[in-house]
């Protein structure tokens, strides 16, 4: 057995709060000699010693008589850290128990760091004194019949120690030690070789585990399947919950099951909660516990930065506290920077808040249900005056006021006191609010959100004195005509939203003085001209001016907006002369949105936008040609450009991976498509009825050679004949064949027609139902080309996600694109490849040289191997080897 320890003692003991100068030892080792002295404890001792750590280990059996030797007590009190090695016979030693009591006392009084290790023993046996620990305490209670306080003290010490973050050790054959802990930070301190984060069980495994406990079988019995799935969903992949609830529901009637599920929605299961609470109780201080409870009650799904402002305003040191909760696996952060938490942990937090008064919300520390809060506030305030906040309401520690959808006419009547901690004021959708408050009483306000306050007439001039204000959202304040001149003095403002302020007619000339402004949204207003000073906004990144019908909306030149990455000028009635002549000067521009305008051609200066990635020209109905585009372009959207006749050469646009030209009726040719080294995916071409034969050939050739998601819509009413499985209607069934090669992708072809010519973008799905495994992966992506003209269309799509399917699986592909689309035919083909000379090889499907018929695309397609290409495997019947089906009963 080998134990790896960090070479620097500080790397391990940096978390110990006691001063090193007052300590004799770095570590005191507490262990049961006969269990671990000659194995684990010796290895641990030598590893610590070799790392330069001063450690006390009782090799001389200093324990004598009824009490601890004074040298042992001095060693415990003189150590910065105590490591307790719990083993099977640990509790049988009364000296071990006395050492433990002394150690826990030092933790309380001297802030000693205590690290429990569970060596070949279940932590629950130690905590609850079961198993070998129950046997030991039975003897202790018999021996100390007249001194039961001593035994109770030992029990409390065991429970307290096991609630700390520790390590659960299991011996393996190669001499390694496996450590299980809820505290990821401890593993970093110890510099372990590798860390594996245990993930939640998937639905299939969860259902099987639950079924073994609930039905003593691997699947639910008849009539209990839906109820079982509901319980599994509630458990969220947590094995403990699946086992506990499965055992609880065993042999109960269906009515009892339904009643239990209804109860779980309100009252969590006690046994599960007690297990989960161990992590909560192990938190080191009350601020960490308060942060956990606040998040579980209020902030799941909320943005982290927003929550940190509130928690810091409460004095909770939010960032370090949140970090600890994440390390303890009590909290997660989503990809969108929002808090997430397992539902059972959330329920546990709320149950802690309920405490001993589950039916008395007035005694809870937190109220998260609207009904409870309204009831309590109404009773205590004897009816809340909803027209304004009372003058004697002085919440000096309040960080956020969120009274959306209120009936307030004023915020309050001249408050006498400063609200210095107030950072966010959100009164959105308060339709009777006519004026903002006097902001002099809110000197540290950071966010003002008054969206959809439709009666708002003015913004108080004191807003110009708010030196910390970063966000103002006045969207859809339809009666607001202007902003006070002082507003433009705001040097800290980063985001200003005025979209939907339909009576606002101008922005002040000194707009350019708002030096921190990064986002300016001014859509659907009465503004007809933006002040020239806008070019002084050196930090402006996002500018949206959609809707105003004006010839001179923008300055003639835009030089100076060097940080601008997103420019939206949708539906501004821009003509050929309305686009700034120096558009190419926007050196940082990544997204340009010129939808629904009136120009016939675009300036050739677009090619100079070296960072442009997305260009939107859809519904520019007079646009006849698109000039050369920058090589940086990734996506072009020009659908419904009904006059478009000419496209630029695409051969050099190597970064382009998507294009939508749906319903460009006059478009005939796209130059350079056949010369590209990589395909453009996806492509929307529905309604392009005049495409040349050569162009259609190019599309089909790309479809066969793509290894990633590819989709295209073309005119046609037949599925190509290389689709092995075909069927009339919206679904097709097949069995995955058994072959000695790797399934790489599905090809799906769908013939469909539209019931109506114009409709909003459809919402539908393509489902891949595995009847063998009872899984239904669903692809929500689709043709993305509507509205569609009348007539038949062929949709071709490849699906590269094949992990859900194995040889012998019974599979159904089902298309449901809503009531406005008729699915007439569907086909599927499978693509296999095998490894040649240790390499996965590419493949291609190409169309033969025979004539192309736009209404019959089934013509003679063949598999063709490229240089170093794959050995393509046709999934014909001659290659199938039947396997026994392994069905999960439903």
């Amino acid at each position: 057995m080998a134990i790896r320890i960090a070479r620097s003692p500080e790397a391990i003991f940096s978390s110990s709060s006691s001063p090193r100068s007052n300590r004799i030892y770095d570590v005191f080792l507490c262990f049961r000699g006969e269990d671990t002295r000659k194995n684990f404890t010796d290895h641990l001792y030598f590893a610590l010693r070799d790392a330069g750590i001063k450690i006390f280990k009782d090799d001389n059996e200093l324990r004598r008589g009824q009490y601890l030797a004074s040298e042992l007590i001095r060693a415990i009190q003189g150590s910065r850290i105590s490591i307790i090695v719990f083993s099977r016979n640990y509790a049988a030693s009364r000296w071990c128990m006395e050492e433990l009591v002394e150690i826990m006392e030092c933790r309380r009084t001297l802030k000693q760091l205590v690290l429990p290790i569970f060596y070949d023993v279940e932590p629950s046996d130690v905590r609850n004194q079961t198993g070998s620990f129950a046997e030991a305490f039975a003897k202790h209670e018999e021996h100390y019949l007249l001194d039961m306080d001593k035994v109770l003290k030992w029990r409390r010490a065991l429970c307290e120690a096991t609630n700390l973050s520790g390590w659960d050790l299991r011996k393996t054959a190669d001499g390694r030690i496996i450590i299980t802990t809820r505290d990821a930070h401890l593993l970093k301190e110890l510099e372990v070789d590798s860390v594996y984060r245990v993930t939640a069980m998937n639905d299939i495994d969860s259902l099987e585990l639950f079924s073994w406990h609930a039905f003593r079988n691997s699947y639910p019995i008849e009539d209990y399947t839906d109820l079982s799935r509901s319980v599994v969903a509630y458990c969220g992949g947590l094995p403990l919950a699946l086992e506990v609830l499965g055992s609880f529901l065993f042999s109960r009637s269906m009515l009892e099951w339904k009643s239990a599920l209804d109860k779980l929605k309100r009252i969590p299961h006690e046994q599960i909660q007690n297990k989960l609470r161990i992590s909560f109780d192990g938190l080191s201080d009350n601020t960490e516990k308060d942060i956990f409870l606040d998040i579980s009650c209020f902030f799941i799904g909320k943005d982290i930065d927003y929550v940190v402002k509130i928690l810091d305003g409460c004095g909770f040191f939010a960032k370090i506290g949140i970090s600890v909760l994440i390390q303890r696996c009590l909290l997660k952060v989503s990809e969108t920077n929002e808090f997430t938490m397992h539902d059972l942990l959330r329920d546990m937090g709320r149950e802690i808040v309920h405490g001993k008064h589950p039916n008395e919300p007035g005694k809870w520390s937190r109220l998260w249900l609207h009904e409870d809060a309204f009831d309590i506030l109404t009773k205590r305030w004897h009816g809340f005056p909803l027209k304004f906040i009372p003058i004697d309401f002085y919440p000096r520690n309040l960080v956020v006021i969120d009274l959306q959808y209120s009936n307030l006419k004023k915020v309050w009547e001249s408050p006498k006191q400063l609200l210095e901690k107030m950072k966010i004021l959100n009164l959105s959708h308060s339709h009777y609010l006519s004026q903002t408050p006097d902001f002099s009483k809110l000197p540290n306000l950071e966010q003002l959100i008054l969206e959809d306050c439709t009666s708002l007439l003015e913004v108080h001039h004191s807003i110009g004195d708010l030196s910390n204000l970063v966000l103002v959202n006045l969207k859809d304040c339809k009666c607001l005509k202007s902003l006070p001149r002082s507003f433009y003095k705001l040097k800290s403002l980063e985001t200003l939203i005025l979209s939907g302020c339909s009576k606002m007619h101008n922005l002040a000339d000194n707009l350019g003085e708002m030096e921190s402004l990064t986002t300016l949204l001014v859509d659907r207003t009465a503004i007809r001209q933006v002040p020239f000073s806008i070019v002084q906004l050196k930090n402006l990144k996002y500018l949206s001016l959609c809707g105003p019908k004006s010839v001179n909306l923008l300055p003639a030149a835009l030089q100076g907006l060097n940080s601008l990455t997103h420019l939206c000028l949708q539906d501004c009635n821009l003509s050929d002369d309305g686009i700034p002549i120096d558009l190419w000067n926007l050196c940082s521009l990544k997204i340009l949105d010129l939808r629904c305008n009136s120009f016939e051609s675009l300036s050739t200066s677009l090619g100079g936008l070296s960072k442009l990635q997305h260009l939107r020209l859809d519904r520019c109905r007079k646009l006849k040609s698109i000039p050369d585009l920058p090589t940086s372009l990734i996506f072009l959207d020009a659908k419904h450009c009904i006059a478009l006749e000419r496209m630029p050469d695409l051969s050099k646009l190597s970064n382009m991976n998507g294009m939508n030209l749906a319903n460009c009726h006059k478009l005939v040719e796209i130059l350079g498509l056949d010369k590209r080294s990589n395909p453009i995916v996806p492509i929307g071409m529905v309604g392009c009825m005049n495409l040349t034969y050569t162009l259609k050939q190019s599309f089909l050739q790309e479809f066969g050679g793509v290894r990633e998601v590819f989709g295209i819509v073309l005119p046609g009413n037949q599925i190509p004949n290389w689709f092995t499985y075909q069927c009339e209607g919206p679904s097709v069934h097949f069995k995955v064949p058994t072959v000695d090669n790797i399934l790489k992708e599905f090809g799906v072809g769908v013939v469909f027609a539209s019931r109506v010519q114009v409709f909003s973008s459809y919402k539908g799905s393509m489902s891949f139902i595995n009847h063998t495994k009872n899984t239904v992966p669903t692809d929500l992506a689709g043709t993305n080309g509507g509205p569609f003209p009348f007539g038949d269309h062929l949709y071709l799509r490849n699906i590269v996600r094949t992990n859900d399917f194995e040889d012998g699986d019974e599979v159904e592909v089902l298309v449901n694109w809503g009531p406005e689309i008729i699915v007439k035919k569907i086909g599927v083909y499978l693509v296999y490849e095998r490894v040649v000379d240790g390499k996965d090889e590419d493949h291609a499907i190409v169309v033969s040289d025979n004539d192309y018929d736009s209404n019959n695309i089934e013509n003679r397609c063949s598999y063709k191997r490229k240089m170093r290409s794959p050995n393509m495997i046709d999934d014909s019947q001659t290659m199938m080897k039947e396997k026994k089906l392994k069905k999960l009963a439903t």
Side-chain angles (χ1 to χ4, degrees), residues 562 792 840:
N562 297 330
D792 291 340
D840 289 336

Side-chain angles (χ1 to χ4, degrees), residues 9-57:
E10 305 306 325
I12 299 179
F13 303 127
S14 59
S15 61
S16 179
S17 59
S18 53
R20 183 164 189 161
S21 58
N22 297 332
R23 297 303 185 188
I24 306 170
Y25 302 101
D26 289 315
V27 171
F28 179 89
L29 266 181
C30 176
F31 62 98
R32 179 73 161 116
E34 66 182 55
D35 282 356
T36 66
R37 180 187 300 279
K38 299 302 182 184
N39 44 62
F40 172 76
T41 299
D42 272 356
H43 288 289
L44 178 60
Y45 171 77
F46 288 116
L48 291 170
R49 188 196 64 180
D50 292 345
I53 296 166
K54 191 173 183 181
I55 185 169
F56 182 91
K57 172 171 168 276

Side-chain angles (χ1 to χ4, degrees), residues 25 197 223 228 286 294 317 458 478 573 583 631 640 659 665 715 731 763 768 798 811:
Y25 302 101
R197 184 178 291 275
D223 297 332
S228 296
N286 288 332
D294 281 346
F317 312 101
E458 62 176 331
K478 300 182 185 300
N573 198 31
L583 199 63
T631 57
H640 312 301
M659 180 170 62
H665 306 308
S731 68
K763 296 180 180 179
F768 300 83
N798 72 328
V811 177

Side-chain angles (χ1 to χ4, degrees), residues 549-572:
K549 304 295 191 292
S550 174
V551 176
N552 301 312
L553 179 63
L554 284 172
L558 296 177
Q559 186 173 5
L561 295 177
N562 297 330
S563 298
L564 194 66
T565 62
H566 190 137
L567 176 60
C568 184
L569 300 173
Q570 177 187 350
D571 196 23
C572 293

Side-chain angles (χ1 to χ4, degrees), residues 575-586:
S575 63
D576 290 8
D577 298 331
I579 301 175
I581 57 175
D582 66 342
L583 199 63
W584 59 272
N585 266 325
L586 300 178

Side-chain angles (χ1 to χ4, degrees), residues 28 68 124 130 161 578 690 801 814:
F28 179 89
L68 292 181
S124 59
T130 55
N690 295 306
R801 181 188 61 203
L814 175 64

